[in-house]
Amino acid sequence: VPFTMNAARYALIYKPGSSEGPGGPAKIVGLAADGKGVTTTFSGYLGQRLTHLVPFTSGIQPHFFDYRASTGDVRFFRFNLKGEGMTLLSSGKWWKGWTHFTPLTLGGKPYFLAYDSLHGYANVDRASVDGSGSTKIYGSTWTKGWTHFVPYVMGPKQFVLLYKGGTGEAKVVEVS
């Protein structure tokens, strides 16, 4: 999970399948300004078998949520200053089996697209102002099997390119 704080670049690195310690070792590294090195600013654990770590920015503060597809467990975090760890803001349960999360920005506010490729379920959620959760603002059933989602902005509009590996099918949707 890459993030920027006070013009400094960081990355949260996670090892999902490990049984070290309480499981799921994680660390935050600060990237050198010249791109030729890193400094560890945090070492700890997130938990085993998390399937997604999704970054977003609420206000000017970088955040992320983690998700475990097998259980639907979700937790929202705020990154601490200087990359010195993260603060748990909330936890809860979502639908089991989301396969994709794509961060979006609409009107300067953080959103994300959640998609379940097995069933075709698609939601768009808006992150809360304080970054401690989200609210579903759109839900629908799309065709099954999309494998890639590429968000992009053209002018004032947000789009997502959907792609199905294997068939080569592609579709562009506008998110409004």
Side-chain angles (χ1 to χ4, degrees):
V1 175
F3 65 99
T4 302
M5 187 179 295
N6 298 327
R9 296 176 306 153
Y10 298 90
L12 168 63
I13 302 167
Y14 169 68
K15 189 175 181 182
S18 175
S19 60
E20 296 175 37
K27 66 180 175 177
I28 296 175
V29 295
L31 295 108
D34 64 3
K36 295 182 180 178
V38 298
T39 302
T40 300
T41 58
F42 168 81
S43 291
Y45 298 92
L46 278 176
Q48 290 184 324
R49 296 180 184 86
L50 298 173
T51 54
H52 297 82
L53 300 171
V54 182
F56 66 97
T57 299
S58 186
I60 60 168
Q61 187 75 29
H63 291 69
F64 75 98
F65 66 84
D66 66 23
Y67 172 76
R68 183 178 294 126
S70 63
T71 63
D73 291 330
V74 62
R75 298 179 301 176
F76 283 79
F77 294 87
R78 179 185 63 241
F79 285 109
N80 296 338
L81 293 176
K82 299 179 184 176
E84 295 175 345
M86 63 286 270
T87 299
L88 176 65
L89 301 175
S90 70
S91 60
K93 286 264 190 202
W94 284 348
W95 169 266
K96 295 179 191 178
W98 293 112
T99 57
H100 297 78
F101 291 98
T102 302
L104 306 167
T105 301
L106 295 167
K109 294 184 171 55
Y111 292 78
F112 59 89
L113 167 68
Y115 176 72
D116 174 341
S117 64
L118 182 62
H119 300 97
Y121 303 144
N123 286 353
V124 174
D125 279 35
R126 178 180 49 236
S128 62
V129 173
D130 65 359
S132 66
S134 67
T135 301
K136 181 174 95 173
I137 61 167
Y138 165 87
S140 187
T141 301
W142 294 356
T143 57
K144 301 174 188 177
W146 295 108
T147 57
H148 296 79
F149 297 85
V150 181
Y152 66 95
V153 175
M154 185 176 286
K157 297 180 178 181
Q158 173 77 61
F159 296 90
V160 178
L161 168 68
L162 288 68
Y163 176 77
K164 284 186 183 179
T167 68
E169 183 181 351
K171 181 179 182 177
V172 173
V173 296
E174 179 182 349
V175 181
S176 59

